[in-house]
Amino acid sequence: MKKLQDILYKVAIKQVFGPTNILVNELVFDSRNVVENDVFIAQKGVNVDGHLYVDKAIALGAKVVVCEKFSFDKKEGVTYVRVEDANRALAIMAANFYENPSTKFPVVGVTGTNGKTTIASLLYQLFTKAGYNVGLLSTVKILIGTKEYKATHTTPDSISINRYLDMMLEDGVEYCFMEVSSHGIHQKRTEGLSFAGGIFTNLSHDHLDYHKDFATYRDVKKNFFDFLPTSAFALTNIDDKNGNYMLQNTKAKKYTYALKTVADFKAKILEKQLSGTLISVDNTEVWTKLIGVFNIYNLIAIIATAELLGLEKLEILTIVSQLESVNGRFQYIKSDDGITAIVDYAHTPDALQNVLETINNIRTNNEKLITVVGCGGDRDKAKRPKMAHIAAFLSNQTIFTSDNPRTEDPQHILNEMEAGVSPEHYNKTLSILDRRQAIKTACKLAVTGDIILIAGKGHESYQDVNGVKSNFNDLEEITNCFNQLKKN
C-alpha cells in the first residue's frame, strides 16, 4: 500500500475532491482490472475513453479516480483528482509508485525508425558479455538478467515500465537498454523516467497512420531528446539528415556517430560478405557477424554508447566480434543444396531498401534474388505501393503476400501494393494471399545459389487475421521448406 499524496508528487493537478492522505493499493488504467482500494486513471485512448468507465471502476472498488474532466456524478468515499494530462499523470504516478527506479541505475533509451531493437539487444549482449547484470526492454522480449518476459509493445505502458525497472533493481541489474517508440513518446509513457542517455538511429517513412505527417512524427522523436537531463548523453546518427535536428534543444551532452561524415565516433567498412563484415574503428580492424551498412551504423552506436558508459575501448571491440545477430534481423539459413534464405523485420520502405541493397552489394548477380513481402493491415497505407516498388525494382522475382492483415481485406492490401509496381517489372511479380504458400512458392522457384528474402515479420511468431493470432513464424516456414527439399 502507498500513500496517495506521495504518488501524486509532481503531477500537474487542477482540482481535488476528497482526502489525499490515504493508502491505496495499485495504479490501474483498465477498469476491468480494478480491485478494492485501487487508483483508476481515466485516459483518453485512440479508440477508447477511460472516462466512460469511471463508474464501473468505482463499482469494482476504486478508491481514487484520476481524470481530465468531471463528466460523471461524484460518489461518497471516493477521492477525485482532475489533472491536465492523464497520460503524463499516469507516467509520473507510476514512477512515484515504484519509488523512481530509473534514477537508481543507468537507463539508456533508443529511438528512431529502424535499428532500435538491434541496438538495444546488442547493448544487452555486449554488457552481459562484459560481466554486468543487464536489463532489456525491447520489441522482441524483456530481459531481467537471464529471466525472460514476453513483450507486447515496443514501449510498454508506464506502469509496466516502472514495474520492470523495479524488478531489475531488486535483481541487481546495473544497466538497462530500452526501445523508445514514437507511440510511447507521444502517449507520455516514458515521462517520469530518468534516462542516462538517448540514441537516435535514423528517420524514415513509418507510423504516418498515427502521426498523420512526417514533421509530426519527427518532432515526437525529438521530444525524447528535448527532455533528457543535463547529466545524460544524447548520441545521434549525423549521417541522417534529421540527426542534428534531434539535438537542437537538448540539455544533454551531445555526441555524434557516422560512416560518411566527421563525427565523434566513426567506423569504416573494409569488406562485406554474407557471413559478416570487416570494419575499422580507430585504425583497429574488427570482424563482426552483422551484415549490411545499416547494421554497421547500429554497431557504431553500440560502440559509442559502451564507451560513453565507461567501458574500455579494447574490451568493447573484443566483445563486438562475438555479438550475434538479433532474432528476425537479417537472420539467414542455407539449404543443403545451397539456397540462402534471409528473414528480416523490414516493414518500412527504407528498411526494405536497406536490406535489398545490402544483399545486392554482396551477391555476384549470377543468382536470383527472390523477395517475399507484405504490408500490415490497419496501418500506414501510404507505404504499401512504395514497398512494392522497391521490392520489384531491387529483386529478380517478387511475391506479394499477407503480413498481418488484421481487420483489413488482405486482397485489398495486395491491390494497393501492386499499384506501386512499374510496368517494366510486372512480369517478375506474383501475388499469393497465403503467406505459407508464398514462402513455399519462393522455395520452388529457387535453385542452387539463389537468395530468398522473407521480409516484414522477422521475429514475430504469429499472424494476425481479423483479431485472431495464429502461430506463424517465417524462419520456421522456410526451414520446413528446406527440409522438404531435402526429402525430395
Side-chain angles (χ1 to χ4, degrees):
M1 299 284 277
K2 304 277 184 178
K3 194 169 274 191
L4 178 61
Q5 62 192 28
D6 295 337
I7 299 169
L8 291 171
Y9 177 62
K10 288 189 177 179
V11 173
I13 297 171
K14 286 188 167 183
Q15 281 177 291
V16 178
F17 292 91
T20 59
N21 60 341
I22 56 173
L23 291 174
V24 294
N25 183 29
E26 294 279 355
L27 304 179
V28 183
F29 58 84
D30 185 336
S31 61
R32 294 168 295 185
N33 299 329
V34 170
V35 297
E36 198 69 30
N37 294 327
D38 278 351
V39 178
F40 175 65
I41 298 92
Q43 296 174 288
K44 289 180 189 171
V46 177
N47 301 312
V48 179
D49 186 350
H51 292 79
L52 300 173
Y53 299 92
V54 168
D55 287 341
K56 180 184 175 183
I58 292 169
L60 289 169
K63 196 173 188 176
V64 180
V65 172
V66 177
C67 55
E68 293 178 7
K69 59 186 179 183
F70 293 142
S71 54
F72 39 79
D73 294 330
K74 299 182 197 65
K75 291 185 169 54
E76 197 69 37
V78 177
T79 295
Y80 295 87
V81 182
R82 187 160 75 90
V83 297
E84 282 185 8
D85 185 324
N87 288 343
R88 181 176 280 121
L90 175 60
I92 295 168
M93 291 169 70
N96 289 336
F97 187 88
Y98 287 99
E99 298 178 7
N100 298 289
S102 65
T103 63
K104 296 168 184 172
F105 58 95
V107 178
V108 175
V110 189
T111 196
T113 303
N114 302 310
K116 296 187 295 295
T117 301
T118 298
I119 290 175
S121 300
L122 291 180
L123 279 167
Y124 169 87
Q125 269 192 53
L126 192 155
F127 276 74
T128 299
K129 288 179 184 293
Y132 294 95
N133 190 2
V134 191
L136 174 69
L137 292 168
S138 81
T139 304
V140 178
K141 55 191 167 186
I142 292 161
L143 290 166
I144 299 175
T146 56
K147 293 188 282 292
E148 185 175 328
Y149 301 84
K150 189 177 180 183
T152 56
H153 296 81
T154 306
T155 309
D157 64 82
S158 305
I159 298 170
S160 297
I161 292 170
N162 282 280
R163 186 190 302 120
Y164 283 126
L165 291 174
D166 187 55
M167 290 164 66
M168 289 179 190
L169 193 62
E170 286 184 15
D171 196 66
V173 162
E174 296 161 277
Y175 294 93
C176 173
F177 302 103
M178 173 182 175
E179 288 186 53
V180 180
S181 68
S182 59
H183 289 70
I185 299 165
H186 186 255
Q187 293 167 13
K188 318 289 195 313
R189 291 183 222 157
T190 55
E191 295 209 15
L193 299 181
S194 177
F195 286 95
I199 305 166
F200 170 72
T201 62
N202 50 64
L203 208 65
S204 64
H205 188 119
D206 199 18
H207 300 307
L208 299 194
D209 55 315
Y210 180 87
H211 296 292
K212 306 309 176 193
D213 59 64
F214 188 83
T216 305
Y217 174 53
R218 177 198 63 199
D219 289 348
V220 166
K221 295 282 190 190
K222 181 177 176 292
N223 280 344
F224 173 67
F225 295 94
D226 289 351
F227 291 102
L228 286 176
T230 53
S231 58
F233 66 81
L235 175 67
T236 193
N237 175 2
I238 201 73
D239 282 345
D240 187 281
K241 61 185 178 183
N242 295 287
N244 265 327
Y245 181 77
M246 292 293 144
L247 306 189
Q248 278 181 2
N249 301 319
T250 190
K251 297 184 287 292
K253 300 177 194 74
K254 300 176 184 179
Y255 297 93
T256 58
Y257 68 97
L259 273 172
K260 301 173 186 173
T261 50
V262 176
D264 297 310
F265 298 93
K266 198 166 179 182
K268 184 179 179 183
I269 296 173
L270 302 176
E271 188 181 328
K272 304 174 192 172
Q273 296 179 21
L274 260 180
S275 57
T277 312
L278 183 66
I279 64 171
S280 172
V281 181
D282 293 340
N283 297 316
T284 302
E285 289 190 6
V286 181
W287 175 260
T288 171
K289 296 174 188 175
L290 301 186
I291 302 152
V293 174
F294 60 97
N295 261 329
I296 303 309
Y297 276 108
N298 295 336
L299 205 62
I300 310 170
I302 292 156
I303 293 167
T305 301
E307 199 169 324
L308 289 170
L309 289 172
L311 269 63
E312 291 293 327
K313 175 65 76 69
L314 184 60
E315 182 183 24
I316 295 166
L317 296 182
T318 302
I319 296 172
V320 157
S321 63
Q322 303 166 23
L323 299 177
E324 300 287 342
S325 61
V326 179
N327 184 21
R329 270 66 176 175
F330 216 97
Q331 202 170 3
Y332 77 97
I333 60 167
K334 210 160 190 172
S335 72
D336 285 356
D337 51 356
I339 301 168
T340 299
I342 298 165
V343 172
D344 194 90
Y345 189 52
H347 62 288
T348 67
D350 189 56
L352 183 62
Q353 184 168 337
N354 282 339
V355 172
L356 286 168
E357 286 180 346
T358 293
I359 296 168
N360 283 324
N361 286 337
I362 296 170
R363 72 190 185 106
T364 63
N365 289 328
N366 293 321
E367 64 285 281
K368 293 197 303 293
L369 171 54
I370 304 166
T371 299
V372 179
V373 64
C375 289
D378 303 333
R379 297 291 187 271
D380 187 354
K381 296 184 178 185
K383 68 183 181 184
R384 294 172 185 174
K386 293 179 182 179
M387 288 183 66
H389 171 78
I390 290 164
F393 180 69
L394 293 173
S395 311
N396 301 106
Q397 177 78 58
T398 303
I399 303 172
F400 301 133
T401 189
S402 293
D403 189 288
N404 291 316
R406 299 182 179 89
T407 64
E408 270 196 82
D409 177 0
Q411 186 59 56
H412 178 69
I413 297 171
L414 290 197
N415 293 345
E416 291 192 341
M417 291 183 72
E418 289 166 359
V421 179
S422 302
E424 67 268 27
H425 300 310
Y426 286 163
N427 64 346
K428 56 175 181 173
T429 64
L430 294 170
S431 288
I432 300 173
L433 270 179
D434 185 280
R435 192 174 182 91
R436 184 171 284 111
Q437 196 57 48
I439 293 171
K440 285 181 179 176
T441 302
C443 251
K444 288 174 183 174
L445 291 171
V447 297
T448 300
D450 286 352
I451 300 168
I452 301 169
L453 170 66
I454 307 169
K457 287 173 60 59
H459 64 281
E460 291 179 353
S461 58
Y462 64 86
Q463 188 170 36
D464 187 340
V465 183
N466 279 323
V468 177
K469 290 185 177 181
S470 55
N471 290 335
F472 196 97
N473 181 278
D474 284 348
L475 190 64
E476 286 179 10
E477 292 301 327
I478 192 66
T479 302
N480 290 341
C481 287
F482 282 174
N483 288 339
Q484 197 60 44
L485 287 175
K486 196 190 302 182
K487 290 175 186 175
N488 295 338

